[in-house]
Amino acid sequence: MMIVQKYGGTSLGDIGRLRSGARRAAELAARGHRVVVVVSAQGDTTDDLIAKAEEINPRHSKREMDQLLSAGEQISISLLAMALEKLRIPVISLLGWQAGFKTNSQYTMARIKKIDTERIRGELDRHRIVIVTGFQGIDRKGD
């Protein structure tokens, strides 16, 4: 059975919570489940990035704001993957485009149009936990 979990910012807010999330995912995998974890940025990361952007340029473009905010999720997937690696659990982290998330081009409000599941399924077939960024995808222009 495939289980998809979503870990929000608070549940990854510090090292202890990251390790706890890793243990939860590892326990599911140990029970024979195929596990995909979708993560948000840690704690107040998104709010901190928004505040910095507003301070630097209150009239920033929506595209650049999306670029900035996606960094928070990238930090989370890497740290959670490292926590699972420490537990000796096979894992891979994937950015939205690597996971096959195709979106429209409406910056800050993009919607998923299609998910190409080939990469995720391939990694699950290799018995890896797959950790995917939330808030990310790729449009037809490659953004």
Side-chain angles (χ1 to χ4, degrees):
M1 172 192 302
M2 181 188 304
I3 295 182
V4 178
Q5 294 187 312
K6 171 67 167 80
Y7 293 176
T10 302
S11 63
L12 303 173
D14 58 35
I15 299 299
R17 290 179 178 176
L18 272 162
R19 287 180 175 150
S20 177
R23 284 191 301 273
R24 282 193 307 272
E27 288 168 6
L28 289 170
R31 286 188 251 161
H33 298 293
R34 297 160 55 100
V35 181
V36 177
V37 181
V38 180
V39 301
S40 297
Q42 290 182 278
D44 295 328
T45 300
T46 300
D47 292 339
D48 293 344
L49 291 172
I50 291 170
K52 287 177 184 178
E54 293 295 324
E55 184 177 338
I56 289 170
N57 179 5
R59 299 184 64 168
H60 54 74
S61 69
K62 290 181 177 183
R63 181 190 186 280
E64 294 309 323
M65 181 58 88
D66 277 358
Q67 288 282 74
L68 175 65
L69 296 182
S70 70
E73 280 73 12
Q74 289 178 227
I75 293 167
S76 292
I77 62 170
S78 295
L79 292 174
L80 187 58
M82 290 175 190
L84 282 157
E85 286 174 340
K86 185 167 184 180
L87 297 173
R88 297 190 177 166
I89 302 297
V91 61
I92 188 165
S93 64
L94 300 174
L95 302 177
W97 69 269
Q98 293 172 313
F101 289 84
K102 313 289 185 188
T103 66
N104 63 21
S105 299
Q106 192 172 358
Y107 299 117
T108 72
M109 302 275 293
R111 296 289 179 246
I112 296 171
K113 294 176 75 174
K114 179 184 175 187
I115 302 173
D116 178 352
T117 61
E118 183 178 345
R119 176 79 186 268
I120 292 173
R121 289 184 185 280
E123 299 298 345
L124 292 170
D125 288 347
R126 291 178 187 86
H127 306 288
R128 292 179 170 174
I129 291 176
V130 178
I131 306 171
V132 180
T133 54
F135 192 74
Q136 286 192 10
I138 191 165
D139 69 8
R140 60 182 168 74
K141 297 180 293 187
D143 285 345

